[in-house]
């Protein structure tokens, strides 16, 4: 079965094609700006590039449109205008090609493409991206949220801090480079409540510290603190659930320092760390295609009228019958 998936919850428009065996193609095009994401501009970007991204994805996979058996799309959570563009494109493709449609949860798709490509069996997942920062694990029919940010996602925090430094969006790579040059750790707020954590106080204090300290030292201190928070909460979730695998995914998973900290924690616990290849960690269409295929193969069916976007769709609202 060939599944074509369309991702577009935030700044990335992606089209991926998968079969039961492997990822056949995964093409993305991201909206960039100097001032964070403007939802309507991001949606315009998605509408402008979706045709060419789809064409590239089909040719990379060596598939003709009429060989596609299933259309899958990111139904939520995400930015309303972006989700509506993707949903409209998915519905029209499904009707035109006369193939079934499945709308999937973006966060669950991150976990499942991670399990599919790394062969992790039953991991605690640390999902770190711009809009989302969650610690997820399977328990009794759902991916439960064991911990999450109480305010902004770790990537959004990085981007806001990056703007203070005059770095364009998205700025994860440059923040990581700057952070690696810091030498002095400055005391910053460390806010963790059980397995939930918060970044806004940390961000505000870091911006204040820029007045009297080097950019390198403040960035280093900010990122060390933020990564420590999520790694501590992940370890607590692993201990609580008695799981011995950690899956690190999301756009921020490309951080070398975060991988290093997760790896140290896993070694100390005698656990295994799994990190999918970067194009499958970031927002992408292949994960949506795979999630649709997984749900369709396990009996899920949707009518066009069921494909209404869900901007605030929580991970633990999805009934999981495929694990
Ligand atoms: Fe994501």
């Amino acid at each position: 079965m060939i599944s074509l998936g369309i991702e577009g919850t935030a700044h990335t428009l992606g089209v991926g094609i998968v079969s039961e065996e492997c990822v056949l193609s995964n093409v993305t095009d991201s909206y960039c700006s100097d001032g964070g994401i403007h939802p309507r501009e991001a949606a315009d970007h998605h509408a402008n590039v979706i045709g060419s991204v789809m064409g590239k994805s089909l040719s990379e996979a060596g598939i003709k449109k009429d060989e596609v058996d299933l259309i899958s799309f990111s139904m939520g959570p995400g930015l309303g205008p972006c989700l509506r563009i993707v949903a409209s494109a998915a519905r029209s493709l499904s009707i035109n090609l006369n193939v079934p449609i499945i709308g999937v949860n973006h966060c669950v798709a991150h976990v499942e493409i991670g399990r599919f490509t790394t062969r992790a069996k039953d991991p605690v997942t640390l999902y770190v991206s711009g809009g989302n920062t969650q610690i997820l694990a399977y328990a009794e029919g759902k991916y439960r949220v064991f911990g999450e940010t109480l305010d902004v996602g770790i990537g959004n925090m990085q981007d806001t801090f990056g703007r203070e430094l005059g770095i364009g969006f998205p700025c994860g790579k440059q923040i990581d480079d700057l952070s690696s040059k810091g030498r002095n750790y400055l005391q910053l707020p460390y806010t963790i409540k059980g397995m939930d954590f918060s970044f806004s106080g940390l961000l505000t204090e870091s911006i204040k510290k820029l007045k009297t300290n080097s950019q390198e030292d403040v960035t280093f201190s900010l990122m060390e603190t933020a990564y420590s928070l999520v790694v501590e909460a992940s370890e607590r979730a692993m201990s609580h659930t008695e799981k011995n695998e950690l899956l690190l995914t999301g756009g921020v998973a490309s951080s070398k320092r975060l991988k290093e900290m997760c790896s140290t924690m896993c070694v100390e616990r005698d656990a295994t760390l799994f990190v999918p290849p970067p194009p499958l960690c970031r927002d992408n269409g292949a994960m949506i295609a795979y999630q649709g295929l997984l749900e369709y193969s396990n009996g899920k069916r949707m009518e066009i009228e069921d494909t209404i976007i869900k901007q605030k769709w929580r991970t633990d609202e999805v009934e999981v019958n495929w694990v």
Side-chain angles (χ1 to χ4, degrees):
M1 184 172 210
I2 301 289
S3 170
L4 181 147
I6 314 173
E7 157 61 24
T9 54
H11 63 286
T12 298
L13 188 283
V15 179
I17 299 172
V18 307
S19 67
E20 278 96 345
E21 290 78 36
C22 61
V23 173
L24 299 168
S25 68
N26 191 25
V27 179
T28 57
D29 191 311
S30 295
Y31 154 86
C32 292
S33 87
D34 292 335
I37 299 186
H38 187 296
R40 213 158 287 283
E41 281 180 16
D44 287 345
H45 162 270
H46 295 356
N48 289 335
V49 302
I50 193 164
S52 66
V53 171
M54 193 163 301
K56 277 184 206 160
S57 194
L58 286 162
S59 82
E60 203 176 278
I63 296 280
K64 292 195 184 72
K65 255 189 195 170
D66 58 10
E67 292 175 273
V68 172
D69 302 302
L70 174 71
I71 300 297
S72 179
F73 73 101
S74 52
M75 203 163 76
L79 304 170
C82 299
L83 291 172
R84 277 187 279 276
I85 294 290
V86 167
S88 304
R91 288 177 200 130
S92 76
L93 260 180
S94 160
I95 292 166
N96 274 318
L97 300 175
N98 195 25
V99 295
I101 184 169
I102 300 274
V104 305
N105 180 291
H106 172 94
C107 308
V108 171
H110 270 294
V111 176
E112 290 303 342
I113 195 74
R115 288 179 63 224
F116 180 55
T117 53
T118 65
R119 303 287 164 200
K121 288 188 185 71
D122 182 22
V124 165
T125 298
L126 173 55
Y127 166 35
V128 277
S129 72
N132 299 292
T133 301
Q134 299 183 326
I135 293 162
L136 308 166
Y138 178 81
E140 295 178 9
K142 285 180 174 178
Y143 280 111
R144 310 282 169 178
V145 182
F146 281 88
E148 64 188 321
T149 177
L150 297 173
D151 41 43
V152 294
I154 195 167
N156 282 359
M157 180 203 69
Q158 268 187 339
D159 291 329
T160 308
F161 185 74
R163 274 204 298 283
E164 292 291 322
L165 302 180
I167 301 173
F169 163 85
C171 63
K173 172 79 175 73
Q174 282 157 284
I175 291 277
D176 239 31
D177 290 347
L178 208 52
S179 177
S180 68
K181 293 177 190 139
R183 292 294 169 263
N184 302 303
Y185 180 79
L186 311 164
Q187 207 62 46
L188 289 170
Y190 189 88
T191 313
I192 186 160
K193 297 171 182 174
M195 283 181 261
D196 293 330
F197 31 83
S198 146
F199 297 117
S200 57
L202 173 62
L203 173 64
T204 307
E205 192 56 29
S206 300
I207 293 171
K208 274 191 206 159
K209 287 249 189 302
L210 281 172
K211 289 181 188 145
T212 48
N213 297 276
S214 73
Q215 289 192 352
E216 287 81 359
D217 282 349
V218 180
T219 309
F220 165 68
S221 307
L222 168 66
M223 295 322 298
E224 284 292 300
T225 309
Y227 292 157
S228 299
L229 284 169
V230 294
V231 174
E232 179 186 335
S234 303
E235 181 171 25
R236 211 169 281 165
M238 289 168 80
S239 171
H240 177 74
T241 57
E242 299 182 347
K243 295 188 196 277
N244 59 7
E245 295 177 331
L246 179 67
L247 175 68
L248 173 63
T249 192
V252 182
S254 59
S255 160
K256 208 175 135 200
R257 180 61 184 140
L258 178 57
K259 270 185 260 192
E260 197 175 75
M261 285 168 83
C262 287
S263 166
T264 305
M265 183 268 277
C266 285
V267 168
E268 284 174 4
R269 296 189 58 79
D270 204 13
T272 311
L273 172 65
F274 295 93
V275 190
L280 296 173
C281 276
R282 299 191 277 272
D283 289 355
N284 66 87
M287 71 181 198
I288 303 300
Y290 179 68
Q291 185 60 35
L293 190 138
L294 199 56
E295 295 191 24
Y296 189 83
S297 316
N298 283 278
K300 177 104 178 194
R301 299 293 181 268
M302 269 186 168
E303 299 301 326
I304 292 287
E305 47 270 35
D306 305 325
T307 60
I308 298 159
I309 62 157
K310 297 180 181 180
Q311 290 183 63
K312 304 250 180 240
W313 195 7
R314 283 188 58 83
T315 313
D316 50 14
E317 286 169 0
V318 178
E319 300 286 345
V320 174
N321 68 348
W322 56 83
V323 172

